[in-house]
Each structure stands twice: as structure tokens, then as C-alpha cells.
Amino acid sequence: AQKITQTQPGMFVQEKEAVTLDCTYDTSDPSYGLFWYKQPSSGEMIFLIYQGSYDQQNATEGRYSLNFQKARKSANLVISASQLGDSAMYFCAMRYTGNQFYFGTGTSLTVIP
Amino acid sequence: ETGVTQTPRHLVMGMTNKKSLKCEQHLGHNAMYWYKQSAKKPLELMFVYSLEERVENNSVPSRFSPECPNSSHLFLHLHTLQPEDSALYLCASSLRAGTGAKSPLHFGNGTRLTVT
């Protein structure tokens, strides 16, 4: 069964606006970690932000923040003040037991000048 | 040199060839991974090595053979591949479970493989 769901195959945002990329997950394990990655056209996967299941506050890293709603099992990425360089694929991932990371299918973000 | 380095960046091989992909990490991590990324598909985990021991093998065909001689190096040996094996192959490293639950995967730039 798919454990990470990203329902938005493609998103567009105007430069300098904020955008939210959706991610829902499915696990019965109480301890897990949620990660967001950015993949530009060059192919490299770049780690953006982490949220632990026991963290009380939403994670933030510069212009990136994670809207973590544990009861709804969602971990949406919010990018504020979008820049042209933010155009890329974005992947949500989860790690719970062991060394496995599960990835969603990704969302393609295009920033419009 | 820092981070995760993969070579080669691009590889074209025939179905009868034998080639190897190389990955090296300089982050002090103790778990290493091979992922396959095909168009319009989620990343597929192929192999995981933790402390140089293979701990995951997700039903990968035997024409893919991993090797982890130490915690810094990971290889993927390829032989008699099929055209559907054409994809981006990503190497990654992290701290293994139990020593770094918050540790994210750090990826290399990938090898773009084309099988003709």
C-alpha cells in the first residue's frame, strides 16, 4: 500500500507569492520522520526540511515551513516568497522503522515571473 | 570533497555489456542506498546497506548486483540489462536507524543510464 501521497502532479505560482504543496501519509507507527526534497532539472535530490512525529512545533527552514497536522496525517510544504529558482520537482518522504524511506510521486512546481 | 559523489554522470550501454556505478560519501554516514527513478514513478528503493551489511533488497533482478566494501563506498554492478532498466540511478547515504532517526538521506547527483 502506498504510504506517501502527493495529489498535485503540477502546480503554478506567481513569483513572490506563497505556495503550499500537499502531502499525506499513512503509518501506524507512533515514531516517524517526514522529509521534503527538491529535485531541479539537473537531477540532484536536495534535502529541504524535516519534521519529527513528536515535534510540537512546525518545522521551518528559511522560506520553507512544514504545516504538520498529525491527526490528519498531513505534512504540507509551504514555500514563501517564491523565486524562479524554486521551479523543480518536490518530493515528500517518510521514515519510520528501520532504514527505509518512502517517497511520494512528487509535485512539479513552476514559478511564473 | 564533501557530500555524496556518483560516477559516471551518464552511461550508455548495450544489453550485453557489464558496467559498474560508483558512489562515495564523505559525510561519516553508516547507511547507503541505491534508488531507481523512472519517469512518472515514485523513487524505487533497490538496496540498503547498514554498516556494510545489506539489510534491504526490494526484489531487484539479479542483473543488478550491489557491493559495499566499506561505509564510504557503494557500487552497483550491471550486466545483461534490459531497455526498461534505463533510468536515473541515485545513491544516497544517512545515519542508520537507531543512531540518527532524524538523519535525512543525502543524495548524489545520480547516473543517467540508457540501455540500448
Side-chain angles (χ1 to χ4, degrees):
Chain A
Q2 190 172 6
K3 293 177 168 56
I4 293 283
T5 303
Q6 294 180 255
T7 58
Q8 306 154 314
M11 290 282 286
F12 292 86
V13 64
Q14 203 74 39
E15 194 178 5
K16 299 180 185 176
E17 297 293 313
V19 63
T20 298
L21 306 183
D22 295 343
C23 173
T24 57
Y25 58 92
D26 180 28
T27 181
S28 56
D29 195 311
S31 178
Y32 51 89
L34 296 157
F35 305 82
W36 276 92
Y37 288 85
K38 171 185 178 182
Q39 187 178 40
S41 57
S42 58
E44 182 184 2
M45 294 280 280
I46 302 165
F47 165 66
L48 296 177
I49 195 167
Y50 163 84
Q51 178 84 45
S53 58
Y54 294 119
D55 293 344
Q56 295 296 311
Q57 294 194 325
N58 288 343
T60 59
E61 288 287 347
R63 295 187 297 111
Y64 304 109
S65 60
L66 205 152
N67 183 0
F68 181 45
Q69 298 186 49
K70 193 170 182 177
R72 297 179 62 182
K73 294 188 177 179
S74 75
N76 298 338
L77 177 70
V78 180
I79 305 174
S80 63
S82 297
Q83 302 172 356
L84 296 178
D86 293 335
S87 294
M89 285 290 292
Y90 288 82
F91 293 92
C92 180
M94 178 175 66
R95 179 182 193 180
Y96 53 103
T97 58
N99 294 298
Q100 280 231 32
F101 287 74
Y102 295 91
F103 284 82
T105 52
T107 295
S108 175
L109 177 67
T110 301
V111 180
I112 304 167
Chain B
E1 194 171 354
T2 59
V4 181
T5 305
Q6 282 187 250
T7 55
R9 290 296 307 274
H10 301 273
L11 178 62
V12 179
M13 59 186 289
M15 289 190 285
T16 58
N17 291 158
K18 289 185 180 181
K19 296 285 183 183
S20 295
L21 308 185
K22 179 183 176 182
C23 178
E24 187 173 356
Q25 62 95 4
H26 302 273
L27 299 168
H29 290 162
N30 46 23
M32 296 189 77
Y33 306 72
W34 280 116
Y35 280 89
K36 176 184 178 182
Q37 187 177 30
S38 305
K40 302 191 187 302
K41 285 179 138 183
L43 265 73
E44 300 173 52
L45 177 64
M46 301 177 72
F47 302 104
V48 181
Y49 277 82
S50 176
L51 296 175
E52 298 130 50
E53 179 183 344
R54 190 192 308 180
V55 294
E56 295 284 348
N57 178 347
N58 275 3
S59 303
V60 179
S62 60
R63 56 186 184 268
F64 295 92
S65 174
E67 178 189 1
C68 187
N70 55 61
S71 59
S72 298
H73 293 86
L74 184 66
F75 296 90
L76 188 62
H77 304 299
L78 316 171
H79 64 97
T80 59
L81 294 190
Q82 305 298 311
E84 60 265 28
D85 296 323
S86 298
L88 180 68
Y89 288 83
L90 289 161
C91 173
S93 69
S94 75
L95 291 174
R96 68 181 181 93
T99 58
K102 295 185 178 181
S103 173
L105 286 173
H106 290 263
F107 286 87
N109 288 330
T111 295
R112 178 74 62 184
L113 173 67
T114 303
V115 181
T116 61

